[in-house]
Amino acid sequence: MSYTELNNGVKIPNIGIGTYLIKSEDAERSVKQALQMGYRLVDTAHLYFNEEAVGRAIKESGVKREEIFVSTKLWPCDFENENAVEESLQRLGLDYIDLLFLHQPAGNYMAGYKLLEKAYKEGKIKAIGISNFEGKHIEEILANCEYIPQVNQVECHPYYTQEELRKVTEPKNIKIMSWFPLGQGDAKLINETIFTELAKKYNKTNAQIILKWHIQMGFLVIPGSKNVDHIRDNFNIFDFELTKEDMAKIETVNKHKKYLRGETLIKYFHSPIYYYHNLLLKHNFDFLRKFIS
């Protein structure tokens, strides 16, 4: 296991287990297995509808709470709720959250950021995060914040290395945490010739080469899986190093293209699904949750 020091002195594991699109029962089992294998970073979110399951897995894992780094996210409907942080703590069953994100640059996100700053000052969270904040959105945060964010969780992978965003984050030592680190399982990305060649060179899988690339790029990475073999393999990347030449070759596959384009997000924020998610999260309609968790 390796760690990175954030811009406030807090140390975070470089790799963790993600729980996006993983139902509660599977999330509880996968997180518990991951912690027992040696993972120490777990990422969840209010929108994932599995925070409670993650909290149970942490308690049942046998690993001391202080050894586990937990990150979660507030959805836009939470941003003006003064109790949002406490409610997240309750769902997780924890006394503090290591890293709390604003999930999307939607709604009154400046009010949401003030909530995070207040929780940070009160010791309820150890680090502040933003998620999917790029361009004018991150610029607004930086122009108005009392505390600079420690992490920005965004889409990032060898096809899209966030070059423009890094011009903003790197001078502030804001770390990028990669979602879709393996292109959401895109076979074309994973089976690029360079990854196959390097996998043979180091006796690793193509996915392990990509995850190692993320860490050597300075990114935090949170691959999600409910397959125990994949969870184990994703973590088994600390016994080799890619060379500068390897890293340069990987750079040649950069297509400067996202899987989830900006226009897709704009459509989402004006769709019935977005308002359904807000309704579901804001009012905790348990009879609806069964359809997605």
Side-chain angles (χ1 to χ4, degrees):
M1 170 63 74
S2 62
Y3 289 78
T4 288
E5 186 172 303
L6 301 177
N7 61 27
N8 64 349
V10 170
K11 291 185 177 179
I12 183 172
N14 285 320
I15 189 168
I17 184 165
T19 60
Y20 176 57
L21 295 180
I22 299 180
K23 293 183 178 181
S24 291
E25 181 180 342
D26 294 326
E28 183 172 349
R29 181 179 61 255
S30 296
V31 168
K32 184 177 177 180
Q33 289 171 335
L35 291 171
Q36 291 172 341
M37 289 176 192
Y39 282 80
R40 290 297 180 265
L41 166 61
V42 181
D43 182 70
T44 181
H46 193 185
L47 184 69
Y48 300 171
F49 302 100
N50 57 25
E51 285 177 305
E52 294 92 341
V54 167
R56 290 193 297 270
I58 289 169
K59 285 182 172 60
E60 296 167 5
S61 69
V63 180
K64 294 179 181 178
R65 167 65 184 97
E66 58 269 25
E67 295 180 11
I68 303 171
F69 196 103
V70 180
S71 64
T72 189
K73 309 171 195 71
L74 300 182
W75 192 244
C77 66
D78 296 319
F79 293 170
E80 295 182 81
N81 174 11
E82 62 182 16
N83 298 314
V85 177
E86 283 295 337
E87 290 169 2
S88 186
L89 286 167
Q90 289 171 12
R91 288 190 296 272
L92 288 161
L94 301 177
D95 296 324
Y96 67 93
I97 294 167
D98 296 275
L99 172 60
L100 186 57
F101 291 95
L102 300 185
H103 203 151
Q104 295 284 358
N108 190 351
Y109 57 80
M110 288 309 305
Y113 200 84
K114 297 301 180 187
L115 274 182
L116 298 192
E117 290 182 320
K118 180 174 182 290
Y120 180 71
K121 287 186 280 189
E122 293 173 347
K124 295 176 180 177
I125 67 175
K126 304 300 183 183
I128 296 172
I130 50 179
S131 179
N132 303 305
F133 279 70
E134 302 177 37
K136 66 179 182 180
H137 298 117
I138 190 171
E139 294 288 359
E140 185 178 3
I141 292 288
L142 294 176
N144 294 282
C145 66
E146 182 178 356
Y147 297 99
I148 292 172
Q150 279 71 59
V151 181
N152 191 5
Q153 188 180 122
V154 291
E155 180 180 343
C156 188
H157 41 74
Y159 279 173
Y160 190 79
T161 63
Q162 288 287 357
E163 293 157 299
E164 289 303 311
L165 179 62
R166 283 158 49 204
K167 292 176 185 177
V168 177
T169 58
E170 288 178 356
K172 303 285 187 183
N173 196 20
I174 300 168
K175 295 300 179 183
I176 285 178
M177 182 181 283
S178 306
W179 59 257
F180 277 9
L182 300 172
Q184 194 66 357
D186 178 15
K188 186 175 180 182
L189 168 63
I190 293 171
N191 293 319
E192 285 280 357
T193 301
I194 182 58
F195 300 131
T196 301
E197 291 174 353
L198 292 175
K200 291 178 181 177
K201 176 181 177 181
Y202 294 106
N203 193 28
K204 292 291 179 180
T205 67
N206 291 35
Q208 287 171 321
I209 297 296
I210 296 172
L211 293 174
K212 188 68 173 185
W213 169 85
H214 278 276
I215 291 175
Q216 291 190 212
M217 284 290 290
F219 306 146
L220 308 167
V221 62
I222 46 166
S225 181
K226 57 184 180 181
N227 180 304
V228 66
D229 294 324
H230 292 169
I231 294 170
R232 183 181 296 108
D233 287 346
N234 289 344
F235 192 67
N236 186 21
I237 57 173
F238 295 104
D239 56 353
F240 75 104
E241 292 288 321
L242 298 170
T243 66
K244 290 182 179 179
E245 292 76 14
D246 295 336
M247 295 292 285
K249 289 178 181 177
I250 293 172
E251 173 60 27
T252 64
V253 308
N254 188 358
K255 297 180 182 297
H256 310 281
K257 275 184 159 184
K258 293 182 177 182
Y259 288 94
L260 189 59
R261 306 300 295 273
E263 55 267 26
T264 304
L265 280 176
I266 290 171
K267 287 179 182 178
Y268 167 70
F269 286 125
H270 291 86
S271 72
I273 297 174
Y274 172 67
Y275 293 102
Y276 168 75
H277 283 153
N278 276 346
L279 186 68
L280 186 60
L281 294 169
K282 189 171 183 179
H283 299 288
N284 193 27
F285 288 153
D286 288 335
F287 74 95
L288 290 175
R289 290 180 61 172
K290 68 181 180 181
F291 293 110
I292 55 175
S293 63

